[in-house]
Amino acid sequence: FPLMRVGDVTTLNLGVDPNISVEWETIEDTRENPGRFTLSSTAHITRVYRVTLRLSAAARAPVDVVIEESVPLSRDSRVEVKVVSIQPAALDAEADRQAREERGLYRWRLRLAPGETQNVRWGYVLSFDEDLEPVLSEN
């Protein structure tokens, strides 16, 4: 626990809040391989996810929630990652943009009132030449 003065703010995690439920689901996970008779040998992988947050109606007050999710980054010019389906818009302060560029990390800050439900959706399309056989992992 850090040393604090009057007016300082800190985050203290005391465990899971029983008033908040989180449902994480895959909306789309497809792979389109190039056709045998096409000139293109580029494969396309599309992945889209959604998180649904729900604050219990029994909660005593609104809560602020920060969501952080990572999207794969390409470290090879032959592999393209295109972010799609970001809803609502991710945070766009300087630190947030830097986290996206360096680590593929997207952040959202939501305020939930008692009984309220909110969704966050993000996804990406990955394109690469089938001969590359890239290793796909999220940060």
Side-chain angles (χ1 to χ4, degrees):
F1 201 95
L3 180 62
M4 298 179 64
R5 292 183 227 133
V6 175
D8 286 351
V9 176
T10 189
T11 300
L12 181 62
N13 295 313
L14 299 174
V16 177
D17 185 336
N19 287 311
I20 297 177
S21 67
V22 179
E23 181 181 313
W24 195 89
E25 60 187 314
T26 301
I27 302 297
E28 183 178 355
D29 190 356
T30 59
R31 179 185 178 103
E32 296 176 19
N33 290 319
R36 178 173 284 206
F37 299 108
T38 66
L39 296 176
S40 172
S41 62
T42 300
H44 296 279
I45 295 173
T46 303
R47 293 189 175 141
V48 179
Y49 306 101
R50 177 173 58 207
V51 170
T52 302
L53 300 170
R54 193 170 288 115
L55 183 60
S56 166
R60 294 182 179 156
V63 296
D64 292 317
V65 178
V66 176
I67 298 174
E68 294 184 338
E69 288 294 341
S70 63
V71 171
L73 289 176
S74 175
R75 308 253 187 248
D76 186 329
S77 63
R78 300 170 298 171
V79 178
E80 180 185 350
V81 179
K82 180 182 173 190
V83 176
V84 296
S85 299
I86 299 289
Q87 297 170 0
L91 295 175
D92 201 35
E94 179 63 32
D96 301 308
R97 287 191 301 272
Q98 186 175 357
R100 278 198 296 272
E101 291 172 10
E102 293 176 1
R103 301 186 343 239
L105 187 67
Y106 285 75
R107 291 185 182 119
W108 294 266
R109 183 178 309 277
L110 306 172
R111 176 164 270 254
L112 292 166
E116 185 177 7
T117 298
Q118 289 191 31
N119 294 315
V120 175
R121 186 175 179 159
W122 70 97
Y124 57 89
V125 176
L126 182 66
S127 300
F128 58 91
D129 188 296
E130 193 67 29
D131 297 335
L132 287 177
E133 299 181 20
V135 175
L136 306 178
S137 64
E138 294 181 4
N139 300 331

